[in-house]
Amino acid sequence: MSILIKNGRIIYGENLDIINADIYIEGNRIAKVGKGLKLSAEYVIDANGKVISPGFINAHTHSPMTILRGLADDLPLMEWLQKYVWPVEKKLTSKHIYWGALLGILEMIKGGTTTFVDMYFHMEEVAKVVEKAGIRAYLSYGMVDLGDEEKRNVEIKETLRLLEFINKLDSPRIEFLFGPHAPYTCSPELLKWVREKANETGKMITIHLNETKSEVQDIKEKYGMTPVEFLDELGFLGDDIIAAHGVWLSDREIEILAKKGVTIVHNPASNMKLASGVMPIEKLLKAGVNIALGTDGAASNNSLDMVEEMKLAALVHKVHTLNPTIADAESIFKMATQNGARALRLNAGLIKEGALADIVILDFNKPHLRPITNVISHMVYSANGNDVETVIIDGKIIMLDGEVLTVDEEEIINKVQEIVDKLH
């Protein structure tokens, strides 16, 4: 397919230059960016008054957890998990996961997310949904063995099954990740197995890390080290690791993460809602750690809106440090786009010739986005996911004028409501 997007304001290249130009897409790549392109295309989009942005990369979420949205709010993390989330999760079947993921992916597409990193169970169902919806995804089965050998063997089996399933799908948009849940839920034996398998297969790893003060304390008591030191001692850390949260990090841990090239995924809404704390963004940036952005699941956020997440990320650090210059709009925008792509080794996250055609168009013909003075500032501080009008993923138009073309929005909404009404 060839697509020509005309007359738009483009957020262009690594430096986020704002240029008035056209974009020509051929196959799944951006073939040309320039003024007044006279090229014939199968599809022409007039982007007058619109902003053309790289698609957003949600580097940490649990897409099927839309089923748990609003189930239990305003509670501490462990109480929230043990009394509400885990008991409901025990009832979830593969059918529930399929529809929950479909709702999550629908929400992400409508908000301009073109790629997401997911961790949950029944992940074959999520892979089927990803294939159907046309989004790009990195999928992992969340492994938890709690030091139990029998459970460990089951988790390994599930993980290898997902790897085989994704390999057989052979989709250019679906990639497998190893997903050990966290150092406090995974034994050293399981973590070592993951490291060996990742080396062997060349697949990446995603893990929860230093999310709460109590989990850091628990690891210290158990192993006499902080979580990052513990993982480093195991030989687990490397530049193929995408670690979610990184809230409670010591200076020594930040030094190790920088040295090993680990990406940290910032999840400000979830961290604020569960009162987990505020990530030390200034220290991480100073050390040269790659920071990506994620929403976490819809049970702890409660939305999957990456545009909203950018604003929260920018604001929380300013008020926390009493320094308005921290977490500036450009840095945060890069976290939601380029930095996520860098973590995933993906040729996306920016608009330039040769990059993957993962592009979103936002309608700036709205009162809250006028006058147009600083596009990046408006993207971070004024816009929201509902301003996304058109979504192109892998060179295909997935949403046009607010309508997702690959799935039935009404059917998904009704089906999930039906499921949730029966569950509770």
Side-chain angles (χ1 to χ4, degrees), residues 47-50 362-370 372 389:
N48 192 27
K50 318 277 171 76
L362 292 94
D363 184 5
F364 266 48
N365 294 309
K366 293 182 176 182
H368 66 284
L369 293 170
R370 290 287 175 148
I372 301 174
E389 186 182 80

Side-chain angles (χ1 to χ4, degrees), residues 192-326:
K192 280 179 186 168
W193 179 87
V194 166
R195 178 73 272 166
E196 281 165 23
K197 274 310 219 191
N199 291 347
E200 190 187 303
T201 58
K203 302 295 182 188
M204 300 180 75
I205 303 166
T206 187
I207 188 169
H208 295 87
L209 188 64
N210 294 44
E211 183 177 359
T212 64
K213 204 173 184 178
S214 61
E215 81 189 56
V216 172
Q217 205 48 49
D218 290 348
I219 293 285
K220 274 184 183 171
E221 282 168 20
K222 196 169 182 181
Y223 301 109
M225 291 175 270
T226 63
V228 175
E229 288 166 341
F230 164 63
L231 292 178
D232 192 36
E233 185 84 8
L234 285 178
F236 183 82
L237 300 176
D239 64 1
D240 57 353
I241 289 188
I242 297 164
H245 301 294
V247 175
W248 294 93
L249 291 165
S250 68
D251 292 353
R252 172 75 187 123
E253 287 182 297
I254 291 169
E255 199 184 301
I256 295 167
L257 294 171
K259 192 177 160 195
K260 297 291 182 178
V262 173
T263 289
I264 291 288
V265 185
H266 189 18
N267 301 270
S270 175
N271 294 159
M272 286 193 275
K273 184 164 177 273
L274 294 168
S276 300
V278 181
M279 189 184 87
I281 200 166
E282 196 178 14
K283 287 183 176 180
L284 285 160
L285 290 171
K286 214 174 196 176
V289 174
N290 185 45
I291 303 173
L293 199 62
T295 60
D296 211 344
S300 66
N301 185 308
N302 292 12
S303 95
L304 305 176
D305 185 341
M306 282 289 287
V307 185
E308 180 182 77
E309 206 70 29
M310 286 195 288
K311 182 171 184 173
L312 293 172
L315 299 186
V316 67
H317 298 288
K318 295 176 193 306
V319 72
H320 183 65
T321 58
L322 304 181
N323 180 354
T325 67
I326 282 180

Side-chain angles (χ1 to χ4, degrees), residues 29 120 174 178 189 211 229 290 304 348 385:
R29 303 270 163 179
Y120 215 55
I174 304 174
F178 287 96
E189 291 81 6
E211 183 177 359
E229 288 166 341
N290 185 45
L304 305 176

Side-chain angles (χ1 to χ4, degrees), residues 64-365:
M65 289 185 87
T66 52
I67 288 207
L68 285 79
R69 190 187 337 247
L71 167 71
D73 292 324
D74 312 320
L75 294 165
L77 176 66
M78 291 325 286
E79 186 184 340
W80 174 76
L81 281 173
Q82 289 165 0
K83 287 191 179 173
Y84 299 93
V85 174
W86 289 343
V88 173
E89 283 184 334
K90 278 179 187 158
K91 299 180 195 171
L92 298 182
T93 65
S94 57
K95 180 191 161 196
H96 296 141
I97 299 300
Y98 178 89
W99 288 101
L102 206 39
L103 180 63
I105 287 165
L106 173 67
E107 182 185 351
M108 284 193 268
I109 290 169
K110 287 185 78 90
T113 292
T114 52
T115 300
F116 70 102
V117 177
D118 217 24
M119 179 196 280
Y120 215 55
F121 47 91
H122 293 304
M123 289 303 287
E124 289 87 351
E125 299 303 315
V126 181
K128 288 175 200 170
V129 172
V130 169
E131 186 71 337
K132 181 187 171 102
I135 198 167
R136 196 183 297 283
Y138 289 71
L139 307 177
S140 68
Y141 169 76
M143 307 169 84
V144 173
D145 73 338
L146 301 168
D148 179 326
E149 193 182 348
E150 201 178 317
K151 178 105 172 81
R152 180 157 61 252
N153 292 332
V154 170
E155 299 298 85
I156 286 170
K157 205 170 155 187
E158 280 293 329
T159 293
L160 294 176
R161 198 172 75 168
L162 178 64
L163 174 59
E164 191 185 347
F165 185 86
I166 290 174
N167 282 342
K168 275 185 183 160
L169 266 184
D170 195 26
S171 167
R173 291 180 289 98
I174 304 174
E175 190 52 80
F176 168 88
L177 291 168
F178 287 96
H181 176 262
Y184 69 94
T185 51
C186 295
S187 63
E189 291 81 6
L190 182 57
L191 293 165
K192 280 179 186 168
W193 179 87
V194 166
R195 178 73 272 166
E196 281 165 23
K197 274 310 219 191
N199 291 347
E200 190 187 303
T201 58
K203 302 295 182 188
M204 300 180 75
I205 303 166
T206 187
I207 188 169
H208 295 87
L209 188 64
N210 294 44
E211 183 177 359
T212 64
K213 204 173 184 178
S214 61
E215 81 189 56
V216 172
Q217 205 48 49
D218 290 348
I219 293 285
K220 274 184 183 171
E221 282 168 20
K222 196 169 182 181
Y223 301 109
M225 291 175 270
T226 63
V228 175
E229 288 166 341
F230 164 63
L231 292 178
D232 192 36
E233 185 84 8
L234 285 178
F236 183 82
L237 300 176
D239 64 1
D240 57 353
I241 289 188
I242 297 164
H245 301 294
V247 175
W248 294 93
L249 291 165
S250 68
D251 292 353
R252 172 75 187 123
E253 287 182 297
I254 291 169
E255 199 184 301
I256 295 167
L257 294 171
K259 192 177 160 195
K260 297 291 182 178
V262 173
T263 289
I264 291 288
V265 185
H266 189 18
N267 301 270
S270 175
N271 294 159
M272 286 193 275
K273 184 164 177 273
L274 294 168
S276 300
V278 181
M279 189 184 87
I281 200 166
E282 196 178 14
K283 287 183 176 180
L284 285 160
L285 290 171
K286 214 174 196 176
V289 174
N290 185 45
I291 303 173
L293 199 62
T295 60
D296 211 344
S300 66
N301 185 308
N302 292 12
S303 95
L304 305 176
D305 185 341
M306 282 289 287
V307 185
E308 180 182 77
E309 206 70 29
M310 286 195 288
K311 182 171 184 173
L312 293 172
L315 299 186
V316 67
H317 298 288
K318 295 176 193 306
V319 72
H320 183 65
T321 58
L322 304 181
N323 180 354
T325 67
I326 282 180
D328 61 281
E330 284 202 0
S331 301
I332 296 294
F333 187 84
K334 285 180 181 178
M335 287 175 198
T337 53
Q338 293 175 35
N339 295 8
R342 188 179 308 134
L344 294 166
R345 303 165 180 175
L346 184 66
N347 184 13
L350 76 172
I351 294 175
K352 69 172 186 182
E353 290 174 3
L356 286 165
D358 289 4
I359 290 172
V360 299
I361 303 174
L362 292 94
D363 184 5
F364 266 48
N365 294 309

